[in-house]
Amino acid sequence: MIPLSRPEFGDEEARAVAAVLKSGWVSQGPKVAEFESLVAGRVGAAQGVATTSCTTALHLALIASGVGPGDEVICPSYSFIATANAILYAGATPVFAEIEADTWNLDPLDVEKRVGTKTKAVLAVHQVGLAADLDRLKAAAPKGVPIIEDAACAIGSFYKEKPIGSSGNVACLSFHPRKTISLGEGGMVLTNDPTVADRVRQLRSHGASVSDLDRHRAQGLVYEEYRELGYNYRMTDIQAAIGIEQLKRLDDLLERRRAVARRYNAAFCTVEQIQTPAEPEYATHAYQSYAIRLQPECRVGRDDMMRELIAGGVSCRRGIPPIHLEPLYLQRGRISLPVTEAVAAGSIFIPMYAALPEADQARVIDAVIAIARR
């Protein structure tokens, strides 16, 4: 079976983990600080704050941006459920907006229609590594309402020739095994605002602050105080050590992913039954995943295609289930998002990872085209 995705680790990561274990400092420590600095420097952000996952990074980013109970945050429904869940964690309400039929990212025109008096932020997802149109989203949001970037899939992506994470918005990364670089789990908040960074650092460690730091340090003492409810969202040095080595591979991993995508695009773009991923002039795709959408000309349904692909040894996954149709969110009220629902109903994720052998790429291509053209 050709897997849908596969992280790529080597001896360097194994040695880095062994060195941390031998050091005796395995919780959040110097390796986390080093990893934060390296990632922030790579993407052009002033500061990075590591967390346990992108979900927890989003949670803290929302709180640090002033989102709380009674507020509303506009976001797409075509995203992993963590996008909306993080808004609930902050005590706010997700307001789902439509996506564009080609990019599968938030539609700025629909975002503008959904702005209300309670709108406190717009949470933009860079879907599977394709940058959302940040300038148009900023124009659609009221003055003073921040754009927070769910950049879970977008390390290595560019918006108008600038790396995602460098826009000045608060952005959040994921290091899950399906992402371009992986630590097993992990996330990071990127920001140019030192106040936001400090707040996230405090909240990720149970809300710990240090009282009279300079005076106590002069006495060789440090006292922590807990003035608000925080969380245990700390990354470990074990994970960070893996991340430091993974970051060294990033350019190579991105280029090999893009090479797979170019081959897929070239093969599928002539098949009228298949829509290939969009890549507008303003964006450079990272291809964290690769998804096709079956067009009306295709007489084979999505689920039937998936069954045949799996039977033929090709792993696949349905398009992202819309969050607003999940039972948890249906309980909160029914809404209609026709574009989102149509994209989800016709989209399929197929194998995409840097080390995908050319022979397996060919098998995937042949299988998809044969089924689509039936």
Side-chain angles (χ1 to χ4, degrees):
M1 177 72 74
I2 301 172
L4 186 68
S5 64
R6 176 178 287 169
E8 188 169 315
F9 301 123
D11 292 341
E12 297 85 356
E13 286 85 353
R15 285 193 292 266
V17 169
V20 168
L21 295 177
K22 290 177 182 177
S23 77
W25 194 332
V26 296
S27 61
Q28 180 179 285
K31 287 297 180 182
V32 169
E34 182 182 353
F35 183 53
E36 290 171 334
S37 178
L38 289 171
V39 173
R42 169 62 195 244
V43 303
Q47 299 194 52
V49 186
T51 63
T52 53
S53 68
C54 188
T55 307
T56 55
L58 288 168
H59 181 198
L60 299 188
L62 288 161
I63 295 174
S65 298
V67 175
D71 294 330
E72 294 181 346
V73 177
I74 300 173
C75 69
S77 175
Y78 192 77
S79 181
F80 183 53
I81 198 168
T83 300
N85 284 355
I87 297 169
L88 293 184
Y89 297 160
T93 300
V95 175
F96 296 115
E98 273 288 22
I99 56 173
E100 298 170 322
D102 55 348
T103 68
W104 304 355
N105 283 325
L106 269 179
D107 181 348
L109 296 177
D110 197 61
V111 167
E112 190 171 8
K113 295 175 185 176
R114 296 178 192 274
V115 170
T117 57
K118 296 180 180 180
T119 303
K120 197 62 177 282
V122 175
L123 183 49
V125 178
H126 302 303
Q127 193 55 259
V128 298
L130 178 67
D133 196 336
L134 295 173
D135 288 347
R136 290 179 62 213
L137 288 171
K138 183 177 180 180
K143 185 176 181 180
V145 170
I147 308 296
I148 299 172
E149 301 175 43
D150 182 338
C153 304
I155 191 166
S157 300
F158 286 77
Y159 176 71
K160 295 187 175 179
E161 300 184 348
K162 294 182 178 180
I164 290 298
S166 66
S167 67
N169 301 324
V170 178
C172 300
L173 300 176
S174 171
F175 304 113
H176 181 271
R178 283 191 62 192
K179 303 305 186 284
T180 304
I181 63 174
S182 174
L183 325 184
E185 277 287 3
M188 188 171 294
V189 177
L190 300 167
T191 181
N192 291 343
D193 187 335
T195 302
V196 169
D198 288 346
R199 187 87 197 285
V200 172
R201 287 192 182 96
Q202 182 173 324
L203 288 170
R204 76 174 171 183
S205 190
H206 289 290
S209 61
V210 178
S211 174
D212 297 326
L213 182 59
D214 292 336
R215 178 169 60 85
H216 289 308
R217 275 186 176 162
Q219 301 170 12
L221 303 171
V222 175
Y223 295 117
E224 292 178 338
E225 289 187 346
Y226 300 88
R227 300 181 182 181
E228 65 175 323
L229 180 66
Y231 311 89
N232 184 359
Y233 288 171
R234 296 186 297 267
M235 180 182 285
T236 70
D237 266 24
I238 297 171
Q239 294 167 292
I242 297 172
I244 290 167
E245 297 304 320
Q246 286 275 288
L247 200 60
K248 296 174 185 177
R249 300 173 178 265
L250 180 57
D251 288 329
D252 176 59
L253 293 169
L254 287 166
E255 177 49 40
R256 286 191 282 138
R257 281 176 175 271
R258 288 172 177 142
V260 175
R262 286 193 294 269
R263 186 174 184 187
Y264 280 168
N265 289 339
F268 297 142
C269 71
T270 59
V271 182
E272 64 178 354
Q273 294 90 344
I274 295 173
Q275 175 188 324
T276 55
E279 190 163 7
E281 290 185 0
Y282 61 74
T284 302
H285 210 313
Y287 290 104
Q288 177 269 331
S289 295
Y290 189 98
I292 59 172
R293 181 183 175 193
L294 302 183
Q295 299 293 71
E297 294 81 2
C298 186
R299 291 185 292 180
V300 178
R302 181 200 65 184
D303 290 353
D304 287 336
M305 175 175 276
M306 290 177 62
R307 290 188 190 98
E308 292 195 41
L309 287 173
I310 292 168
V314 176
S315 296
C316 56
R317 182 171 292 183
R318 62 176 175 164
I320 300 169
I323 302 171
H324 73 283
L325 297 181
E326 294 290 351
L328 171 64
Y329 287 89
L330 284 172
Q331 296 170 12
R332 307 176 69 86
R334 293 178 177 269
I335 62 170
S336 176
L337 296 171
V339 177
T340 296
E341 292 165 21
V343 168
S347 52
I348 301 174
F349 287 88
I350 60 175
M352 164 56 77
Y353 53 96
L356 184 63
E358 290 190 3
D360 286 350
Q361 295 172 38
R363 281 181 57 198
V364 173
I365 290 168
D366 291 346
V368 169
I369 292 177
I371 298 167
R373 282 180 167 164
R374 185 171 306 145

